[in-house]
Amino acid sequence: NAGVMQNPRHLVRRRGQEARLRCSPMKGHSHVYWYRQLPEEGLKFMVYLQKENIIDESGMPKERFSAEFPKEGPSILRIQQVVRGDSAAYFCASSPGQGIGYEQYFGPGTRLTVT
Amino acid sequence: DAKTTQPPSMDCAEGRAANLPCNHSTISGNEYVYWYRQIHSQGPQYIIHGLKNNETNEMASLIITEDRKSSTLILPHATLRDTAVYYCIVRVVGNNRKLIWGLGTSLAVNP
């Protein structure tokens, strides 16, 4: 059973461009979480999605950031008009449910560099 | 903000037990203690969790004090591959599904 997959692993964008980060959850997992990690800091929750629904987006910046988890295909975190402050590692996690016993399993992350 | 306090760094000799403390003095009755670790540049890895009883799995043991205000993660025989940042997280399971991370403890296992 393959783990959580994220691509690309490294992404370089110039200021003002768009960044698209993809996350394929583990097989059988319908819950996806996105976290951001700035250098030398802990992870910060961004958004929690179930298939076709955003459940909690309390950690998402109000502008330029959006996320989706369509019925078919991977979850996408989209950052429009990137700025240098968006440079970070973005981690996706998935779980089969939300209760005890349904732990979050993390992907390897996408490292975004904005030049 | 994270509801836990951990020492920023610790050292351990290879083959010895690593004991990582965590304070969570404001923990509520319905909150669990979770431990994750992050090996350099990789995604976090789940280790163990508990409510009030001590727990053990193939990776580690978790000791929670009777008042639940602190806990200790024990790696019984640390190896060089256990060098990582260890995060202690308090989590309400149910409506609050997200994990709130602090800065963790950077554990260095030395040969």
Side-chain angles (χ1 to χ4, degrees):
Chain A
N1 187 8
V4 178
M5 294 192 292
Q6 291 187 247
N7 66 81
R9 294 291 305 278
H10 300 273
L11 181 61
V12 179
R13 284 288 178 266
R14 284 197 286 269
R15 280 179 296 171
Q17 291 185 318
E18 178 180 289
R20 281 184 176 239
L21 288 63
R22 297 175 190 79
C23 169
S24 296
M26 291 178 67
K27 186 177 181 180
H29 289 196
S30 59
H31 299 245
V32 166
Y33 311 78
W34 285 94
Y35 295 84
R36 177 166 66 175
Q37 186 174 33
L38 296 171
E40 308 302 323
E41 293 188 13
L43 280 74
K44 301 289 187 199
F45 168 80
M46 299 183 74
V47 63
Y48 162 45
L49 311 100
Q50 293 181 29
K51 281 287 187 181
E52 300 184 274
N53 291 304
I54 296 175
I55 307 302
D56 182 352
E57 57 182 346
S58 58
M60 287 279 271
K62 298 294 183 215
E63 298 178 346
R64 302 188 296 108
F65 285 72
S66 62
E68 63 177 12
F69 188 17
K71 186 176 180 180
E72 301 290 339
S75 175
I76 306 287
L77 180 67
R78 181 183 179 203
I79 311 172
Q80 295 178 290
Q81 299 175 316
V82 296
V83 300
R84 287 221 172 106
D86 296 332
S87 294
Y90 292 82
F91 291 97
C92 163
S94 74
S95 71
Q98 58 173 300
I100 282 292
Y102 297 127
E103 310 319 325
Q104 295 182 25
Y105 294 90
F106 284 79
T110 293
R111 275 142 192 89
L112 172 65
T113 302
V114 179
T115 61
Chain B
D1 291 341
K3 297 180 64 175
T4 61
T5 305
Q6 300 176 253
S9 63
M10 293 182 64
D11 288 292
C12 176
E14 188 178 17
R16 304 297 294 269
N19 297 285
L20 293 92
C22 179
N23 287 322
H24 30 79
S25 58
T26 61
I27 193 169
S28 300
N30 62 345
E31 289 180 317
Y32 288 74
V33 180
Y34 275 71
W35 284 83
Y36 279 78
R37 73 180 182 183
Q38 186 175 24
I39 297 171
H40 181 62
S41 298
Q42 298 181 20
Q45 177 188 22
Y46 165 78
I47 302 174
I48 199 167
H49 73 272
L51 181 62
K52 55 183 178 181
N53 297 320
N54 298 337
E55 302 287 345
T56 296
N57 63 20
E58 65 278 4
M59 288 184 68
S61 295
L62 174 60
I63 308 298
I64 302 174
T65 58
E66 192 168 341
D67 63 7
R68 302 212 319 124
K69 292 185 177 182
S70 66
S71 60
T72 301
L73 179 75
I74 301 173
L75 307 178
H77 305 287
T79 70
L80 298 179
R81 290 181 295 177
D82 292 322
T83 293
V85 179
Y86 287 77
Y87 295 95
C88 170
I89 299 168
V90 166
R91 178 188 176 196
V92 174
V93 179
N95 291 329
N96 183 8
R97 304 141 181 131
K98 60 194 176 188
L99 298 175
I100 300 175
W101 304 72
L103 296 178
T105 295
S106 179
L107 174 69
V109 180
N110 304 309

